[in-house]
């Protein structure tokens, strides 16, 4: 009988892992070096061909001892690297090394947070971290999610269970698409979209909608819009919701991390008035995916998620003091994503995280200044968090879209796109605290070069 492959956990786990980690780190190094830019050049066909070539057979008859090196290398070479200063399209952050290292431990130990007997210490840590993060937002407790989408879904689910299936979602035009999608998923009435000509939810228009539409209502405001990083006027919205008895959810998937910064926290005034808040530390929080949370002001509301499965939370086990974890998520098997978050919070402290937030916001301001001072470019507006919308002054929408794709397919830069004021803009979402002024001017030079290369 052949020897089984080595296991990651157990007393011998570290001994087995060490040489494999060397292989992974070498392959990451070689792969990223071979890419030599923020993403692979050549576009989808070239990348697919390279992956096909490296992978060969996905399930060969006989195993390949070099598979780890081969596959990690090809993935690194073909990655869009958010640590590269010219990879700035999405809310796709470069993860901190310490968080990635902690995530390795989570994979090795493999606790599953659906029952205490699979995750004794991890469940205790999760309780501490979720409460601590909720307190940062002025709330009491929070649930760990796979990101903003799942947190928004849970927020709508809580509203449906607490207010009934006729609860109607009211949101601004710039709200994240996962909100109306969650309404569809949960069988709620068609959501009401309030126009947001200035990019944010207009409290007067909200007041009008709440006055004329039959309730109950769930208002979803946003602290950090996906397209432009704008923050809705939270105190005014909270006041209108209170006046109409509407429930308030705030999607702070992007902007929530401003809480860590003394300088930027005031922009979130009014956040704690929400019944639920989406946070997402795999955006502005430098965590490997996934690292989402939904905070609740009233922890009693979470009882609507209570669920029973005898093999995981038998009543007599719960009565005997074993924590009942099943109502903390709609998932069953669940990774300890709090480990990397806890390690990050404690390693950096509030001051360290706040400094990172301040740095990326300062980079966005600097980038916006460079755009504004360049007559060949047009700046959409001053950044509120770390997103800057801009475009070549003489380009039309088709030109802007083609320019972005040209940068992508030549592997030179990853910029996003966003529509604002009826026009298409290039979007730079600056999430890398280590970028320098040279990187920012270099990015603009690339934009000019690509624009000069003309229509494609
Ligand atoms: C404001 C906002 N909410 C929610 C989400 C969804 O987050 P996730 O992609 O982590 O599910 C995003 C994603 O960009 C977002 O920008």
């Amino acid at each position: 009988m052949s020897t089984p492959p080595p296991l990651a956990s157990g007393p011998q786990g570290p001994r087995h892992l060490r040489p494999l980690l060397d292989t992974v780190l070498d392959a990451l190094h070689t792969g990223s070096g071979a890419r030599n830019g923020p993403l692979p050049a050549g576009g989808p066909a070239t990348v697919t061909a390279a992956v096909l070539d490296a992978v060969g057979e996905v399930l060969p008859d006989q195993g390949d001892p070099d598979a780890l090196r081969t596959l990690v290398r090809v993935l690194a070479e073909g990655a869009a690297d958010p640590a590269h200063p010219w990879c700035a399209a999405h809310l796709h952050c470069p993860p901190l090394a310490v968080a990635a290292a902690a995530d390795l431990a989570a994979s090795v130990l493999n606790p599953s947070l659906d029952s205490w007997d699979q995750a004794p210490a991890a469940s205790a840590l999760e309780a501490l971290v979720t409460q601590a993060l909720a307190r940062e937002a002025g709330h009491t407790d929070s649930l760990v999610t796979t990101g903003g989408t799942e947190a928004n879904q849970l927020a709508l689910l809580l509203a449906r269970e607490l207010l009934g299936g006729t609860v109607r979602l009211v949101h601004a035009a710039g709200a994240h698409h996962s909100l109306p999608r969650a309404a569809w998923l949960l069988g709620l009435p068609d959501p009401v979209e309030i126009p947001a000509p200035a990019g944010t939810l207009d409290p007067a228009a909200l007041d009008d909608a709440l006055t004329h539409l039959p309730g109950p209502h769930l208002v979803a405001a946003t602290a950090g819009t996906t397209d432009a990083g704008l923050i809705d006027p939270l105190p005014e919205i909270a006041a209108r919701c209170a006046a109409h008895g509407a429930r308030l959810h705030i999607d702070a998937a992007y902007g929530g991390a401003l809480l860590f910064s003394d300088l930027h926290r005031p922009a979130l005034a009014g956040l704690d008035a929400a019944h639920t808040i989406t946070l997402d530390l795999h955006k502005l929080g430098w965590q490997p995916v996934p690292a989402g949370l939904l905070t609740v002001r009233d922890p009693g509301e979470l009882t609507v998620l209570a669920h029973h499965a005898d093999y995981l939370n038998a009543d007599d086990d719960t009565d005997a003091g074993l924590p009942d974890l099943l109502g903390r998520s709609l998932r069953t098997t669940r990774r300890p994503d709090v480990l990397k978050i806890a390690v990050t919070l404690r390693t950096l402290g509030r001051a360290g995280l706040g400094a990172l937030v301040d740095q990326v916001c300062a980079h966005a301001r600097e980038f916006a200044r460079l755009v504004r001072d360049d007559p060949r470019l047009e700046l959409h507006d001053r950044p509120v968090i770390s997103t800057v919308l801009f475009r070549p002054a003489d380009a039309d929408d088709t030109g802007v879209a083609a320019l972005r794709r040209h940068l992508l397919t030549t592997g030179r830069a990853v910029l996003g796109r966003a529509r604002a004021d009826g026009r298409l803009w290039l979007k730079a979402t600056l999430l890398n605290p280590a970028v320098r002024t040279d990187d920012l001017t270099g990015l603009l030079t690339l934009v000019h070069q690509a624009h000069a290369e003309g229509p494609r």
Side-chain angles (χ1 to χ4, degrees), residues 92-109:
H92 171 210
C93 68
L96 293 171
V98 76
D103 221 16
L104 171 70
S107 292
V108 169
L109 296 168

Side-chain angles (χ1 to χ4, degrees), residues 91 146-150 152 175-179 222-227 251-254 278 280 282-283:
L91 289 160
T146 50
T149 299
E150 188 191 342
N152 285 341
H176 194 255
H177 64 85
S178 59
L179 287 157
T222 305
T225 56
T226 314
D227 277 352
D251 179 354
Y254 179 12
T278 288
D280 193 348
H282 66 233
K283 302 197 184 331

